[in-house]
Amino acid sequence: MTTIRDRSVDDAAAPLRAAMVRELRDLDGITSEPVAAAVGTVPRHLFAIGEPLEKVYAPDTPLVIKRNDDGLALSSLSAAHIQAVMLEQAGVEPGMRVLEVGSGGYNAALLAELAGASGEVTTVDIDPDIVARARTCLDEAGYERVRVVRADAEHGVPDGAPYDRIIVTAGAFDIPPAWLDQLAGRGRIVVPLRWRGVTRSIAFDRDGDGGALASSSYRLCGFVPMQGIGAHRELVVPIEDGLFLRVDDRSRHFDTGALAAAARTRPLEAWSGAAYDLPDELELFLLTSTPRAAMLHAGRELIDQGRFDASAGRGVPALVRDGGFAYRIRRVNEATGGFESGVLAHGPQAETIAEEYCDLLRRWATGFRRRGAARIRYIPAALAAAGGAQDLASVKPHGTVTVSWA
Ligand SMILES: C[S@@+](CC[C@H](N)C(=O)[O-])C[C@H]1O[C@@H](n2cnc3c(N)ncnc32)[C@H](O)[C@@H]1O
């Protein structure tokens, strides 16, 4: 495809791009000069032809590129903020070999800027339309040196390995063995990993020589799901119309009849006395600190009827036991001007569940209420088997995710 590039659009885009860099710095998305320079250089609008420039250069706006027949987004130009965050997590340096999983072209161009003329960037996508589009956009923007490959990334891209950095830009449920095999000895993988109903972009480094990985950072994110061999359907446990649990562990049994009856009872309200902030950090703590956790989702109707608090609208960690459940709420703390966390508990053992939940809220607030308090490890299946099963581990087909709080 040959297009004639409109230089007047380039001119109009330049100040918007500079403003976006400033905003991304203010939002703590950009924290280093190399990433600022890359984002300030690559013409993002050439990867979003036809979209209004204000939208293209808004820091928090993803643009959907392709949907399936049900309207589910299959490919998108991710929001600039999460792209910057992941580039900072990756720490790409000049001369590195980089593999990007999930193409669009824009992020690969940023990676090419960071890896420099002596580096190599390969981007792989499962979708031939996306591959063709990425190739065209990269050429148009002057990044002919980026290699675009069509393949299911489950197998990586062996002929460019080993990679110093692997950056995954689709929501992954697991880490396929090929990615670890193709990662250099001192390599780093940045992956939006989904477990326990939430996704975090995790920067994993190798943890010793045994093949395990340990997080150097993690951040809240959301991505279109991985397709192909690694596609995964989350387990959804319906309780009643508009009310469900999202869980990982298919061996867990839920007495849905009892939970439905509990959902119809008037909830017990309890307050923890603990501060509520850093919601993504607290969410991770709650979901990974008890085997009885699950994500609870309530539809708009149930919230509008006053049966469920708004906190359950976007998904909230719940404690599920004894035929009942409890979930987190919050209220303004007049004394501090901040928020206090509390609990609504449903079911015959509401008091006990509420107390257990409040204990967790207090434990987090006193011990772990800061960014980055969790250490996330990924242990490939062979090693995990040798170590024995762990109560709080999330077991996946190729390995196990564990989270420790220190
Ligand atoms: C969020 S988009 C990628 C955005 C892109 N990195 C950019 O610069 O804007 C996610 C992409 O992952 C691709 N994808 C999903 N599953 C895949 C798989 N198994 N192998 C390779 N690509 C995959 C999708 O086709 C989609 O284009």
Side-chain angles (χ1 to χ4, degrees):
M1 183 174 97
T2 311
T3 54
I4 298 168
R5 190 160 157 189
D6 186 340
R7 298 291 164 187
S8 67
V9 177
D10 288 357
D11 290 346
L16 295 176
R17 188 160 58 252
M20 184 175 81
V21 171
R22 285 194 297 276
E23 286 173 271
L24 289 172
R25 283 188 197 268
D26 291 347
L27 292 166
D28 249 4
I30 292 180
T31 55
S32 75
E33 291 316 311
V35 173
V39 177
T41 301
V42 178
R44 185 172 163 93
H45 59 283
L46 294 185
F47 299 87
I49 301 292
E51 296 285 352
L53 288 180
E54 288 69 23
K55 203 168 160 194
V56 173
Y57 286 102
D60 271 330
T61 309
L63 298 165
V64 175
I65 305 292
K66 186 171 178 176
R67 294 185 190 275
N68 71 7
D69 294 341
D70 298 330
L72 181 81
L74 293 178
S75 187
S76 60
L77 171 57
S78 304
H81 181 258
I82 188 60
Q83 289 178 316
V85 163
M86 291 176 80
L87 292 175
E88 295 290 3
Q89 286 187 292
V92 176
E93 289 171 16
M96 283 188 168
R97 297 159 80 92
V98 184
L99 174 65
E100 181 195 42
V101 171
S103 310
Y106 175 65
N107 195 50
L110 294 172
L111 291 168
E113 286 291 332
L114 291 164
S118 57
E120 278 176 31
V121 176
T122 301
T123 181
V124 57
D125 205 287
I126 197 168
D127 186 324
D129 296 339
I130 300 300
V131 168
R133 185 183 176 283
R135 180 73 279 157
T136 304
C137 294
L138 283 163
D139 291 350
E140 182 70 9
Y143 294 93
E144 294 88 352
R145 66 182 190 275
V146 171
R147 187 164 68 124
V148 187
V149 175
R150 195 197 85 71
D152 186 332
E154 178 79 8
H155 308 296
V157 181
D159 67 359
Y163 299 103
D164 301 297
R165 298 290 183 264
I166 297 179
I167 298 176
V168 183
T169 64
F173 182 73
D174 202 353
I175 299 184
W179 298 356
L180 297 186
D181 293 347
Q182 292 170 27
L183 189 66
R186 299 169 69 87
R188 172 176 293 177
I189 178 163
V190 180
V191 55
L193 196 61
R194 189 150 179 87
W195 84 118
R196 300 200 163 220
V198 294
T199 309
R200 296 290 181 272
S201 168
I202 308 171
F204 276 124
D205 294 330
R206 291 196 189 273
D207 188 18
D209 298 330
L213 302 171
S215 63
S216 56
S217 65
Y218 58 89
R219 292 291 290 268
L220 178 72
C221 68
F223 271 92
V224 299
M226 194 69 78
Q227 304 168 46
I229 299 170
H232 174 78
R233 286 183 76 161
E234 252 171 346
L235 185 62
V236 167
V237 179
I239 299 175
E240 67 168 76
D241 248 10
L243 189 68
F244 63 91
L245 296 170
R246 216 185 263 284
V247 276
D248 256 10
D249 182 356
R250 287 171 190 273
S251 65
R252 244 175 113 182
H253 170 74
F254 293 94
D255 183 346
T256 49
L259 293 178
R264 287 191 293 273
T265 60
R266 203 181 149 77
L268 175 95
E269 184 179 302
W271 293 97
S272 68
Y276 169 80
D277 57 8
L278 301 174
D280 53 315
E281 290 283 347
L282 173 58
E283 178 184 72
L284 193 62
F285 177 79
L286 293 170
L287 288 169
T288 60
S289 299
T290 160
R292 293 183 282 279
M295 280 300 267
L296 176 77
H297 293 255
R300 172 71 17 225
E301 213 168 301
L302 294 177
I303 293 167
D304 289 347
Q305 287 167 5
R307 286 188 52 207
F308 281 85
D309 184 83
S311 67
R314 299 182 65 181
V316 63
L319 196 65
V320 187
R321 53 174 282 199
D322 303 328
F325 60 94
Y327 64 100
R328 184 201 51 72
I329 52 174
R330 65 172 199 186
R331 70 179 174 188
V332 173
N333 180 334
E334 303 290 351
T336 64
F339 290 101
E340 177 191 359
S341 59
V343 171
L344 288 177
H346 292 257
Q349 303 296 328
E351 222 165 294
T352 316
I353 309 179
E355 195 40 48
E356 186 178 338
Y357 205 123
C358 282
D359 276 347
L360 284 171
L361 293 168
R362 283 188 286 266
R363 257 180 67 203
W364 178 77
T366 50
F368 311 110
R369 187 182 149 214
R370 61 182 183 278
R371 287 238 160 264
R375 186 163 187 264
I376 305 166
R377 292 184 79 230
Y378 181 86
I379 303 141
L383 297 178
Q390 288 184 36
D391 219 13
L392 290 173
S394 288
V395 180
K396 294 171 176 286
H398 301 304
T400 297
V401 182
T402 65
V403 181
S404 53
W405 295 84

